[in-house]
Amino acid sequence: MSNRVTKSDVILIGAGIMSATLGTMLKELAPDWNITVFEKLSNAGEESSNEWNNAGTGHAALCELNYTSEKPDGTIDISKAINVNEQFQVSMQFWSYLVKNKLIQNPQDFIMPLPHMSMVRGEKNVEYLRKRYETMSNNPLFKGMEFSDNPEKLKEWIPLIMEDRPANEAIAATKIDTGTDVNFGALTRILFDHLKAKDVDINYNHSVESIKRTKDGLWELKVHDKDGCKMEYHTAKFVFLGAGGGSLELLQKSGIPEGKHIGGFPISGLFMVCKNQEVVEQHHAKVYGKAAVGAPPMSVPHLDTRFIDNKKSLLFGPFAGFSPKFLKTGSNMDLFASVKPHNITTLLAAGVKEMSLTKYLIQQLLLSKDQRMEELREFIPTAKSEDWDIVVAGQRVQVIKDTEAGGKGTLQFGTEVVSAADGSIAALLGASPGASTAVHVMLQVIQKCFPQQAKEWEPKLKEMIPSYGISLLQNPALLEEVHTSTAEALGLNKN
């Protein structure tokens, strides 16, 4: 039995970037609220938010070709790219507010300016990239994008990629200098340090065992304190499930009807990391290619400059894999335990639909290091095997649900908020663009779960995010102002 029972206004489960963001926003909006955090690992940002478990791309749709599809008539649809870009601008504004108000001391601890590039090979792909460039460069959100299919210009942009290439190869790239590399692990730890200073009760090595509704409408959590080897009971008016791959299990335990008919499919990732600093210094950009035919969107190959622990690194990947775990530190039973009577037909329908994905994952799993090196040489023709190691990235649980457009058992590649009708509990499910859009997603949580307060909070929300409730695309003057002020606050003008 517990020797500790606490009541909170808000409980956040999971000490990743989502809980860090929501907690920080709520502390600005309602400083008197009592917030408690539970994390089953020993530190903040150890799972999906950790810098070695994600690509570190500030996803603004500047280089990711999976956000700009070619329509049957040959035109390029950039609507998804516009959405993702506007969402990232929201994150940039909130981070700038934190820096200006001294809640973050040094933005270079988590964000660095870095060109974002797309690179394609083959006549057909070059033509696609040219059309994409023409469509995007006319849009104010993507101002400053350049295109080149001139080998000499490309040697200036990406010398490592262009070295030893056949002279007659059809190759092209776009480049935009306003891209960023974001260390989401560092940002998560910075925000949790700030929350601790604001008297938020942060409990590491605490695992939530059960979650249920009490008669008076509160949520009661049974929590295992692994350090003290005891059970505790905690109640709150509002609970946020921001536990990455662990959120689905907690959502199912809550028993809310909105959590039924939802499943998850875990996909793991591997990156190759360069250990030869001479090679690392020859590349300075995030360069995204085109996904292979039949490959899922999250497997777009990219060669990334990263800034981790104040050191420049170079990573290539991701290579997809499969593990039944929902978290990197999870259990091999996670996938099986997520199968319930209410979601089994949804999961079976997805299994039938996604045979090509299953085949792709099996092929990826069977790749040898030599075969992975061959894929890397599509980007760096001179790559040597001894210069590269393999690191295991994080687990991503893709949402499976029934949709009107896709029918039963549709695999969703994105980030989703599932909340109770009364707004008393919300869960974040899904994957990319994930962390980059954390502020936008947490605004959704605030609007869904605190509709009354959201109206009162509007002046403060506009102070934190000047474009709150406004489309930047429709307001070019505000867009220009936001671009200038965020670049200045976050130190992105320094070369």
Side-chain angles (χ1 to χ4, degrees):
M1 192 62 187
S2 163
N3 60 1
R4 182 180 174 199
V5 180
T6 62
K7 284 187 177 179
S8 305
D9 293 304
V10 171
I11 286 178
L12 308 174
I13 303 176
I17 187 64
M18 295 296 174
S19 292
T21 302
L22 182 58
T24 304
M25 292 174 88
L26 288 175
K27 264 295 166 192
E28 291 300 296
L29 296 166
D32 299 336
W33 282 13
N34 185 293
I35 300 176
T36 303
V37 181
F38 296 111
E39 165 58 56
K40 70 177 187 178
L41 301 180
S42 56
N43 284 299
E46 288 292 291
E47 271 283 351
S48 297
S49 305
N50 186 273
E51 48 270 44
W52 291 105
N53 288 345
N54 60 65
T57 302
H59 283 297
L62 305 176
C63 57
E64 307 92 327
L65 300 178
N66 51 314
Y67 296 141
T68 50
S69 56
E70 189 167 5
K71 294 196 275 196
D73 66 358
T75 58
I76 307 297
D77 180 359
I78 65 166
S79 55
K80 191 170 183 183
I82 288 167
N83 281 340
V84 171
N85 186 282
E86 289 227 6
Q87 289 173 21
F88 186 63
Q89 302 286 351
V90 168
S91 290
M92 296 275 274
Q93 290 171 72
F94 182 59
W95 299 338
S96 299
Y97 164 84
L98 296 176
V99 171
K100 285 174 191 165
N101 287 275
K102 305 285 189 286
L103 306 182
I104 288 178
Q105 299 307 318
N106 181 14
Q108 264 64 63
D109 287 342
F110 77 93
I111 189 167
M112 295 290 273
L114 190 69
H116 280 196
M117 299 181 62
S118 307
M119 183 201 76
V120 297
R121 298 178 309 135
E123 300 286 352
K124 197 177 166 200
N125 287 333
V126 169
E127 192 47 42
Y128 156 77
L129 193 67
R130 191 191 308 276
K131 286 192 290 189
R132 176 183 179 271
Y133 159 74
E134 284 164 1
T135 308
M136 293 182 87
S137 58
N138 285 322
N139 186 298
L141 292 171
F142 307 103
K143 184 178 158 191
M145 185 179 280
E146 300 173 72
F147 170 90
S148 183
D149 56 0
N150 178 327
E152 293 310 311
K153 174 56 83 176
L154 294 176
K155 277 176 193 170
E156 287 174 33
W157 287 357
I158 38 175
L160 189 63
I161 289 175
M162 291 304 290
E163 197 178 332
D164 278 9
R165 280 203 179 269
N168 59 351
E169 184 178 22
I171 185 166
T174 55
K175 174 171 173 279
I176 186 161
D177 289 329
T178 51
T180 52
D181 177 67
V182 184
N183 184 328
F184 289 107
L187 177 59
T188 301
R189 294 188 289 272
I190 289 165
L191 294 181
F192 271 105
D193 285 345
H194 161 69
L195 289 173
K196 192 176 178 186
K198 290 274 184 179
D199 295 325
V200 169
D201 182 18
I202 303 168
N203 302 275
Y204 296 113
N205 294 314
H206 278 62
S207 174
V208 177
E209 303 295 315
S210 71
I211 176 165
K212 64 179 186 184
R213 207 76 193 262
T214 63
K215 285 175 186 164
D216 53 1
L218 297 173
W219 287 100
E220 183 184 84
L221 278 63
K222 182 181 176 186
V223 182
H224 180 208
D225 170 0
K226 293 190 270 188
D227 286 339
C229 296
K230 59 180 185 284
M231 286 297 176
E232 303 169 353
Y233 289 86
H234 299 262
T235 61
K237 298 170 195 168
F238 171 75
V239 175
F240 174 67
L241 311 177
S247 292
L248 180 61
E249 181 192 1
L250 293 166
L251 179 63
Q252 290 174 337
K253 284 180 176 176
S254 76
I256 63 168
E258 292 81 2
K260 299 202 183 325
H261 307 289
I262 294 176
F265 185 77
I267 294 176
S268 61
L270 298 173
F271 278 93
M272 300 187 79
V273 60
C274 184
K275 55 188 180 184
N276 182 337
Q277 209 57 31
E278 280 181 32
V279 175
V280 173
E281 295 302 330
Q282 291 174 55
H283 185 78
H284 188 77
K286 285 186 182 287
V287 181
Y288 274 60
K290 216 169 182 229
V293 176
M298 82 297 251
S299 65
V300 172
H302 43 99
L303 182 68
D304 292 345
T305 295
R306 297 285 307 275
F307 297 96
I308 298 174
D309 299 330
N310 298 314
K311 186 183 171 192
K312 191 173 175 182
S313 307
L314 185 60
L315 277 75
F316 175 76
F319 295 92
F322 175 76
S323 157
K325 294 179 180 184
F326 276 12
L327 291 163
K328 203 171 173 180
T329 55
S331 155
N332 283 322
M333 294 305 292
D334 287 347
L335 178 58
F336 309 106
S338 74
V339 180
K340 309 289 181 194
H342 59 69
N343 69 5
I344 191 162
T345 54
T346 298
L347 290 167
L348 289 171
V352 172
K353 276 185 183 173
E354 300 295 341
M355 291 304 282
S356 61
L357 174 61
T358 308
K359 185 182 168 195
Y360 171 79
L361 291 175
I362 291 168
Q363 287 169 339
Q364 288 273 294
L365 272 173
L366 297 174
L367 290 177
S368 63
K369 183 175 180 187
D370 285 347
Q371 287 169 312
R372 291 194 171 103
M373 287 303 301
E374 284 310 307
E375 291 201 25
L376 172 58
R377 287 185 190 113
E378 304 272 318
F379 274 72
I380 307 176
T382 57
K384 295 187 178 89
S385 188
E386 61 267 27
D387 289 343
W388 295 81
D389 283 334
I390 290 170
V391 292
V392 180
Q395 286 288 101
R396 297 288 180 272
V397 179
Q398 311 295 334
V399 176
I400 297 172
K401 66 177 197 177
D402 305 332
T403 66
E404 275 184 41
K408 202 153 193 67
T410 303
L411 193 60
Q412 305 283 99
F413 293 104
T415 308
E416 302 215 8
V417 175
V418 179
S419 56
D422 66 355
S424 63
I425 189 167
L428 186 87
L429 306 173
S432 187
S436 294
T437 60
V439 181
H440 166 82
V441 176
M442 292 307 104
L443 279 175
Q444 283 183 298
V445 170
I446 287 168
Q447 287 157 351
K448 275 184 172 184
C449 300
F450 305 102
Q452 302 309 118
Q453 292 94 329
K455 290 187 182 73
E456 298 164 30
W457 290 340
E458 201 163 301
K460 184 68 180 177
L461 285 165
K462 285 193 167 166
E463 185 194 334
M464 298 194 303
I465 300 147
S467 73
Y468 178 71
I470 302 167
S471 160
L472 286 172
L473 186 57
Q474 307 300 327
N475 291 270
L478 179 61
L479 171 64
E480 196 61 40
E481 197 182 306
V482 161
H483 267 174
T484 305
S485 65
T486 56
E488 190 180 329
L490 297 173
L492 300 177
N493 295 326
K494 299 168 190 169
N495 286 320

